[in-house]
Amino acid sequence: QLQIVESGGGLVQPGGSLRLSCAASGFTSDYYAIGWFRQAPGKEREGVSCISSSDEDTYYADSVKGRFTISRDNARGTVFLQMNSLKPEDTAIYYCAAVKGFRLCVPWEYEYDNWGQGTQVTVSS
């Protein structure tokens, strides 16, 4: 079982930035498609962004398009989610998820079988 560790969450003022990291030892030895999801209090978990196993395909939810950027550092086995111009409505627990193999990028939870514990992002003044 892949052990995913997210980091980088925290408290930030509106308009600020955070960079989330998602790391797992298996990311350096196999191909994985990676997704970022978030769940705000009282809401269902939603797909925020994802990157295909080849890194050629990415996806962003309309609510974060133009503000968030997903990227991968294969040498470090880490996927990043750079979040700029943060808004209070971005407040949520952010989860990293992975699925092994040559996979396209899809923002659906059921496609992913490895999940991290989540990291809290709070945007507030």
Side-chain angles (χ1 to χ4, degrees):
Q1 186 74 10
L2 194 67
Q3 289 193 318
I4 293 174
V5 177
E6 303 108 328
S7 61
L11 173 64
V12 64
Q13 292 186 342
S17 297
L18 285 173
R19 188 176 77 160
L20 304 183
S21 299
C22 169
S25 59
F27 288 171
T28 59
S29 58
D30 289 297
Y31 290 95
Y32 285 89
I34 305 296
W36 282 100
F37 295 79
R38 69 185 181 186
Q39 187 166 23
K43 294 188 176 181
E44 293 187 354
R45 191 155 57 184
E46 62 173 345
V48 174
S49 180
C50 61
I51 186 166
S52 64
S53 56
S54 68
D55 294 346
E56 292 180 350
D57 180 39
T58 59
Y59 161 87
Y60 299 96
D62 287 343
S63 58
V64 306
K65 203 170 292 183
R67 300 188 297 121
F68 290 11
T69 303
I70 191 169
S71 62
R72 189 196 313 255
D73 184 331
N74 286 304
R76 295 168 57 185
T78 304
V79 173
F80 302 100
L81 185 68
Q82 178 67 43
M83 306 187 297
N84 298 329
S85 302
L86 282 162
K87 304 175 181 180
E89 51 263 43
D90 294 318
T91 295
I93 299 175
Y94 284 71
Y95 298 89
C96 176
V99 58
K100 187 177 178 180
F102 295 97
R103 305 294 292 263
L104 296 175
C105 164
V106 290
W108 316 124
E109 290 187 52
Y110 59 79
E111 291 287 340
Y112 299 87
D113 53 8
N114 294 279
W115 290 80
Q117 294 299 308
T119 184
Q120 176 70 49
V121 171
T122 302
V123 185
S124 175
S125 55

